[in-house]
Structure formats: C-alpha cells, structure tokens
Amino acid sequence: MSMEFLVKVDNNVYEISGLVTSISYSDRLNDGCSKLEFSYVGDILKVKNGSVISFKYDNVGIFYGYVFKHGQNKRKEITVTAYDQLRYCKAKDTIVVRGDSVTSLVKKMCNYFGLKTGALTNTGYTLATSIQDDKTWLDIIYSGIDDTLTNTGRWYSLRDEFGSIALRDLVDLQLNLVLGDESLVYDYKYDKSIDDEFYNQIKIVSDNESTGKRDVYITKDSGSIAKYGLLQYFEVLNKNANPSQAKSKADMLLKLYNREVETISLDCLGDTSVRAGSSFYGRIGDIELNRRLIVRSVTHKFLPVHTMSLEVAI
C-alpha cells in the first residue's frame, strides 16, 4: 500500500501522509459532489478553507478538491471536510434550456463557474425547451439526465474525476470485478420494496392548444395492479409534445418502474476502481444474486486498512 496526501496552503504544498489518522471518501450517483473527510495530528500545518487537497492511493487518483470546513480539539487533532468541483454547482440561477442536451448544459455550467472539464460523453438527446428559475445547476442537469434516461434508456453520470468534470455513460463504467461470496464481501443487507420508485400505471397528460383540452395517455400492467394495488406515476408534458412522444415516454416509464426495487448494501474490502455509477458482478448465494449491479453510493475508508461500504441498485 502506498499513499500520497498533499495539502496546498498559500501556494505551499505539504505531504502529510505520515500525519493523517483517518480518511473517508464518499461518492453518490448524481447526488451532489464527492466528499473527503480526514483528520491529522500536529501543528506543523494550519489548513484553511479553500486549501487544495490531492489524495492518491496505490498510485490511483482518488480525490482532488477544496477544503470547506475544518476544526480541531484540545489534543491538536485537526478534522477537515473537502469537496470536489461540483460543490460550486449548487448555486441557484435562472437558466434557459433551449436546444440543449445534458452534454451542452454541462459545458455551459463548467464555463460559467470556470471548472476544468474532462471526458464529456455526447448524450445525443435534445431536452425540452424550458426556463428553469431558482434552481441549482446540478438539479437542472440531474433532471436532464432523468429525462434522457426515460426517453432513450441511456443512463449517465455527472462526476468529478480527480479534478476534471466528466459525463459518463454508465455502460462505459462497467468493471471487470466480482463482489460477493468469497470475493471481498464480509457483510451485506438486502431489501426488496414497492414503497419508492415503483409504478404500475403511467399517466401522462399534455395540453392540446388546437382543441383547448388536455390529452391523456395511460399505460398500465393489470397483473401488477392486481398483485400490488394501483401505484400511479403522473407527469404533465410541455405543450409541444406530440401523441407518439407521450406514448413512447409512458411505455418507457412503465418498463423502468414496474418492478420491485431491490437494494443491497455491501461491506467489503476496498477496491479503488469502485465509484458511484460504476457496476460489477454481484454473487451472493443466500439471496440468489448473480447479476451486474450499479453502485448508487460508496464510502471508502483507507485507514488502518482499505474497506468500502456500498449501496447498489439492481
């Protein structure tokens, strides 16, 4: 195991690997910035808010970001919280979406905040024209990612990759990794639910300007309704939507949401390739699990040994 932990304060760079007593890195899929929490002992370094943090583990770039919070106790133990570049994108604004894809919105966001960009996958899907008022840049982009998913079936992840903002197709984040029985996992928790993000009837409406009435499109799974009861998803489309678009979206939403939501939490030995949005093969005999899983969230802890806790979606 090798570790490089750099802190830049007032243009001076300090290597503090030998001083650090705890390191926790957390990442969530399309849910804000990643977070690094660490502590160190000693008064050789006075970290400040805005200080730059660079952390590598086994020569892999784990985190590059900025200090937003720090404190200390009587024992001179310093605790620090740092976030990646996406933290700055929590700012609210009025944003016009016109002829934009998620990719172009990400470019506009990074240009506005002066953020460094990396690999930005072209989603190829044009979002509906709208004026987004009093919303954060992140919320608008996440909404665009959801709309792209429901209309194309392609799922994307917005994330910071060691100091560069990236937009990735989840297909490109598949890992050649197995986690489960006799493979890194030492504990798990499994849940199956219809309480959240489960719908067996989709109702989509749009205002028809020519008739002055509201068109209604419904698609449903009668067998699922008989089994679980009617659980309805409702959405109002913009006025420019046509009947074929509404039907296509309703069918896609039913396909996405008409299934029990299975959630698995895993506690494992650490692997630096695992981030939110990446996927791996999960194999756990007790719950008859043998399939590819997508990481919803992950927390890595690096001291005294590298472990990780992840929540995955099936």
Side-chain angles (χ1 to χ4, degrees), residues 1-6 15 17 23 25 27 36 53-65 159-163 175 270-275 278 300 302 306 308:
M1 181 274 290
S2 63
M3 186 168 73
E4 179 187 87
F5 205 109
L6 304 179
E15 215 297 338
S17 298
I23 306 171
Y25 169 74
D27 189 31
L36 187 76
I53 306 298
S54 174
F55 171 52
K56 293 182 179 180
Y57 190 86
D58 281 348
N59 297 316
V60 176
I62 303 297
F63 177 87
Y64 186 96
R159 62 189 200 172
D160 187 304
E161 297 179 347
F162 201 63
L175 302 175
D271 187 307
T272 56
S273 66
V274 177
R275 281 199 61 178
S278 58
H300 291 266
F302 294 92
H306 182 195
M308 60 186 181

Side-chain angles (χ1 to χ4, degrees), residues 176-189 264-269 271 274 280-293 308 310 312:
N176 185 22
L177 175 68
V178 177
L179 296 177
D181 297 330
E182 302 180 1
S183 181
L184 302 182
V185 174
Y186 54 83
D187 198 9
Y188 73 88
K189 180 182 178 182
I264 302 176
S265 300
L266 302 173
D267 292 323
C268 324
L269 296 179
D271 187 307
V274 177
F280 60 90
Y281 277 100
R283 292 176 182 166
I284 300 176
D286 290 345
I287 55 176
E288 299 181 348
L289 175 70
N290 186 16
R291 56 164 62 170
R292 183 167 286 278
L293 306 173
M308 60 186 181
L310 32 139
V312 299

Side-chain angles (χ1 to χ4, degrees), residues 24-299:
S24 175
Y25 169 74
S26 301
D27 189 31
R28 302 183 65 85
L29 176 58
N30 295 334
D31 189 17
C33 52
S34 67
K35 177 172 65 173
L36 187 76
E37 297 174 291
F38 67 95
S39 59
Y40 66 95
V41 177
D43 54 11
I44 188 174
L45 170 65
K46 296 296 185 182
V47 70
K48 300 179 180 180
N49 290 331
S51 298
V52 179
I53 306 298
S54 174
F55 171 52
K56 293 182 179 180
Y57 190 86
D58 281 348
N59 297 316
V60 176
I62 303 297
F63 177 87
Y64 186 96
Y66 306 90
V67 174
F68 273 76
K69 181 180 178 181
H70 64 90
Q72 70 179 68
N73 56 29
K74 190 175 181 179
R75 298 185 303 275
K76 295 186 178 180
E77 183 180 42
I78 314 298
T79 57
V80 182
T81 300
Y83 301 110
D84 67 38
Q85 291 185 98
L86 289 177
R87 170 62 179 78
Y88 298 101
C89 306
K90 292 175 65 175
K92 289 186 176 182
D93 208 332
T94 297
I95 299 150
V96 177
V97 179
R98 182 182 296 116
D100 284 300
S101 65
V102 171
T103 309
S104 65
L105 284 179
V106 172
K107 290 178 180 178
K108 288 181 179 179
M109 178 184 74
C110 292
N111 183 63
Y112 184 82
F113 290 103
L115 307 180
K116 182 181 178 181
T117 59
L120 299 178
T121 303
N122 183 7
T123 65
Y125 175 75
T126 301
L127 302 169
T129 299
S130 64
I131 298 176
Q132 303 289 338
D133 194 27
D134 194 30
K135 292 183 180 179
T136 73
W137 278 88
L138 287 181
D139 286 340
I140 293 166
I141 288 174
Y142 294 152
S143 177
I145 288 174
D146 289 341
D147 287 345
T148 302
L149 172 62
T150 56
N151 284 280
T152 70
R154 307 291 293 188
W155 198 359
Y156 296 88
S157 171
L158 175 69
R159 62 189 200 172
D160 187 304
E161 297 179 347
F162 201 63
S164 297
I165 303 299
L167 182 66
R168 300 280 192 180
D169 189 323
L170 265 59
V171 171
D172 297 326
L173 299 178
Q174 295 179 355
L175 302 175
N176 185 22
L177 175 68
V178 177
L179 296 177
D181 297 330
E182 302 180 1
S183 181
L184 302 182
V185 174
Y186 54 83
D187 198 9
Y188 73 88
K189 180 182 178 182
Y190 172 69
D191 294 304
K192 182 181 281 190
S193 172
I194 60 168
D195 192 36
D196 188 33
E197 294 190 340
F198 175 91
Y199 306 101
N200 47 28
Q201 178 165 295
I202 310 298
K203 184 176 183 179
I204 292 183
V205 301
S206 63
D207 294 323
N208 191 318
E209 292 184 312
S210 61
T211 65
K213 296 181 180 180
R214 175 165 278 189
D215 295 330
V216 180
Y217 309 91
I218 296 177
T219 184
K220 62 184 178 180
D221 183 335
S222 299
S224 177
I225 293 172
K227 185 176 182 179
Y228 300 116
L230 194 155
L231 294 163
Q232 179 173 282
Y233 175 97
F234 178 81
E235 183 176 344
V236 180
L237 297 183
N238 66 69
K239 296 178 181 179
N240 297 321
N242 59 51
S244 63
Q245 287 176 318
K247 182 181 184 306
S248 176
K249 184 164 188 177
D251 290 341
M252 179 67 74
L253 287 169
L254 186 66
K255 181 179 178 180
L256 286 172
Y257 291 130
N258 183 33
R259 60 190 182 91
E260 294 173 284
V261 178
E262 297 175 87
T263 302
I264 302 176
S265 300
L266 302 173
D267 292 323
C268 324
L269 296 179
D271 187 307
T272 56
S273 66
V274 177
R275 281 199 61 178
S278 58
S279 62
F280 60 90
Y281 277 100
R283 292 176 182 166
I284 300 176
D286 290 345
I287 55 176
E288 299 181 348
L289 175 70
N290 186 16
R291 56 164 62 170
R292 183 167 286 278
L293 306 173
I294 295 172
V295 179
R296 291 276 194 179
S297 66
V298 59
T299 296

